[in-house]
Amino acid sequence: MELSRRGQILVAGLAWLVGLFLLLPGLITVPVSLNESRFVRMPKEHLSLRHYQALFSDPGWFSSFLDSLSIAVAAGLLATILGTLCAVGLWRITGRLVALFGALVLLPMILPPVVAALAMYRTWVALNLYDTWIGVVIAHTIIALPYVVITVTTSLALLDSRLEQAARSLGASPLRTLRDVILPNIKGGVVTGAVFAFIISWDEIVVTLFISTRAVYTLPRRMWDGIRENIDPTVAAVASLLMAATVIGVVFALIYSVRKARAQARSH
Amino acid sequence: MNPYYGFITPAILLIILLLLAPLAWLIGLSFENEGQLSLHWYREVVTSGGIRSMLWTTLRIVAITTVIALILGYLVAFAMAHVGERQRLLLTLCVLIPFWLSVLVRALSWLILLRNNGLINTGLMETGLISSPVTLVRNETGVIIGMVHFLVPYAVFPLYAAMRAVDPRLMMAARSVGASSWRSFIDVYLPTTFPAIFGAGMLVFIFGLGFFVTPSILGGGRVVMLSEYVSVTVLQTLRWSLAGALSVVLLLATAALLYLIGKVTNLRKMLGAA
């Protein structure tokens, strides 16, 4: 829509204020993590890496990092396999039940986190999954599943379903069709889904709080305790590293998507 | 039998056995009092003064948060849809980075900024604007600031998608029949984007209702919202039936709101966009 010059400046100015409100608070952890004292505050005289040193020399933080990493890899992998299969299945199944199944796989995303956490907590205790690595992996797989199904479904929507019919009519089994015909065409969606699933699990806190205590102690869980009990500047160091990873990830993803959009525009 | 049923079975079974069945168990507990089938806990939810005021606090905070997040989100989405390529990219970064940033990092940042001896208070006192710290956290203000910060991106994405889809000829037509920019915005643009505003608002409201981390950290135990109350009910007082009843209330509210969104916009599209 057209705006007057003044209107444009006003709208852009206000939007930028909101943009900075969104962006800046996260950055605050960086200077705080570089402060020389043992308190959470801005650096006064000189910068210091002592909180990073504390972070890297602490076996507790390291084992939490490993817990989170291994759980996110396992849950991401499981969610990607189950979610991709499910999306392809839903794509080829017709009938009234499809809507029901579709809603069912979206359920973990729609359910309020605390409700899912309570339901799982009770069940995990009953099944001896409470505070076990595999228990957390299963819970994270369930939570990440809808994100994979959605991204894969999106890329399937661009795929001509006659390809699948052709493969099947030539005698390929559904699995063979999946491997040789469908998967190569939806690679992008599957990879995106896997990245989503990994991040969802890596970041998950509410359900994890309920279904684990100390035997499995993920990074978010340790951060949660570090923030709630008495803010420890080491948490600011962890937060800064997560902030840096997020900025790098988002910038790369944005550059990639802009390049892709440009390449597509050129090829048309 | 369609062979592709085999493809969906593992995921569907996982969800039915380890999410739906546990959920049914939890709901079942809410109808039980001292081993008997009873509506006792629902009566408790309705009559207990403490629970009523907690529910009211939750609704108030979520409503305020939703309105602010929608206004801020609309502004950003509008600018993104109508500025040049470079500014759009930079604004997108401002929305995407916090969107992907861990909720704990965000809560920590706000805690550092808003505490009594935090950056904002220290800054204001050093410039002499205030003589004693203003309480910005461990109260509703802090919770609302943190929640708005979390939820604005969720409002921006669907709004931006809807604004990109507005036919520019519509606005040109309004202008050509003599409407001012402001008039054509109010009479044409705003109504055209209304379904997205409604959908985004409901989505933000639903997220807000179930929100746990930000209110727990920034409320500091003084502002207790629904999710934290439920967790305290179970973890500290072990009242599973009450937690179950409150979960049912939360579930029903969520379902009703989702139904409303479905009536106005395409829900699957919105979830995919978010």
Side-chain angles (χ1 to χ4, degrees), chain B residues 26-217:
Chain B
L26 182 66
I27 293 173
L29 285 173
S30 71
F31 292 103
E32 195 186 293
N33 184 35
E34 292 164 0
Q36 304 243 296
L37 200 65
S38 130
L39 287 176
H40 173 84
W41 297 103
Y42 290 93
R43 236 172 279 136
E44 178 82 13
V45 169
V46 179
T47 54
S48 153
I51 293 177
R52 274 226 303 258
S53 92
M54 178 276 296
L55 287 174
W56 174 236
T57 307
T58 307
L59 275 181
R60 186 176 56 230
I61 292 179
V62 177
I64 296 172
T65 302
T66 303
V67 171
I68 301 175
L70 266 185
I71 295 172
L72 300 187
Y74 199 88
L75 249 168
V76 175
F78 187 82
M80 275 167 63
H82 300 288
V83 293
E85 175 90 9
R86 179 178 299 187
Q87 269 202 73
R88 166 160 57 238
L89 273 180
L90 289 172
L91 273 175
T92 310
L93 274 181
C94 287
V95 179
L96 276 181
I97 289 173
F99 178 74
W100 282 111
L101 191 60
S102 156
V103 59
L104 287 166
V105 175
R106 297 206 243 172
L108 172 69
S109 307
W110 281 112
L111 205 55
I112 292 173
L113 284 168
L114 301 174
R115 286 183 309 163
N116 277 352
N117 55 354
L119 286 182
I120 291 178
N121 269 316
T122 318
L124 287 176
M125 284 203 286
E126 271 168 17
T127 54
L129 278 171
I130 51 170
S131 53
S132 59
V134 190
T135 316
L136 294 170
V137 83
R138 288 174 196 279
N139 60 14
E140 286 188 20
T141 314
V143 176
I144 290 172
I145 293 175
M147 284 180 62
V148 166
H149 184 250
F150 189 91
L151 291 167
V152 167
Y154 289 90
V156 170
F157 298 130
L159 287 172
Y160 175 67
M163 287 173 185
R164 295 277 285 183
V166 174
D167 190 337
R169 283 172 302 181
L170 213 56
M171 298 308 291
M172 280 197 276
R175 296 298 301 273
S176 73
V177 294
S180 65
S181 309
W182 179 243
R183 233 347 326 130
S184 46
F185 174 78
I186 294 290
D187 287 345
V188 180
Y189 200 87
L190 210 55
T192 314
T193 50
F194 180 74
I197 299 176
F198 181 81
M202 287 291 163
L203 205 62
V204 168
F205 197 92
I206 292 173
F207 273 117
L209 269 188
F211 226 56
F212 182 82
V213 174
T214 309
S216 305
I217 291 177

Side-chain angles (χ1 to χ4, degrees), chain A residues 136-221:
Chain A
V136 179
V137 169
I138 293 173
H140 284 191
T141 302
I142 293 173
I143 294 166
L145 205 54
Y147 297 88
V148 178
V149 174
I150 286 176
T151 49
V152 175
T153 301
T154 310
S155 46
L156 280 169
L158 301 171
L159 183 64
D160 190 342
S161 62
R162 280 172 305 182
L163 263 174
E164 183 269 349
Q165 282 158 7
R168 295 278 286 136
S169 70
L170 290 170
S173 70
L175 269 179
R176 179 93 202 269
T177 310
L178 175 71
R179 196 190 67 195
D180 293 347
V181 179
I182 301 175
L183 272 185
N185 281 296
I186 56 164
K187 255 185 332 209
V190 175
V191 172
T192 313
V195 173
F196 261 102
F198 177 89
I199 297 175
I200 299 279
S201 165
W202 174 263
D203 250 0
E204 210 290 325
I205 173 73
V206 181
V207 169
T208 312
L209 273 179
F210 280 80
I211 60 163
S212 69
T213 51
R214 296 285 151 150
V216 184
Y217 200 35
T218 64
L219 208 56
R221 171 97 215 223

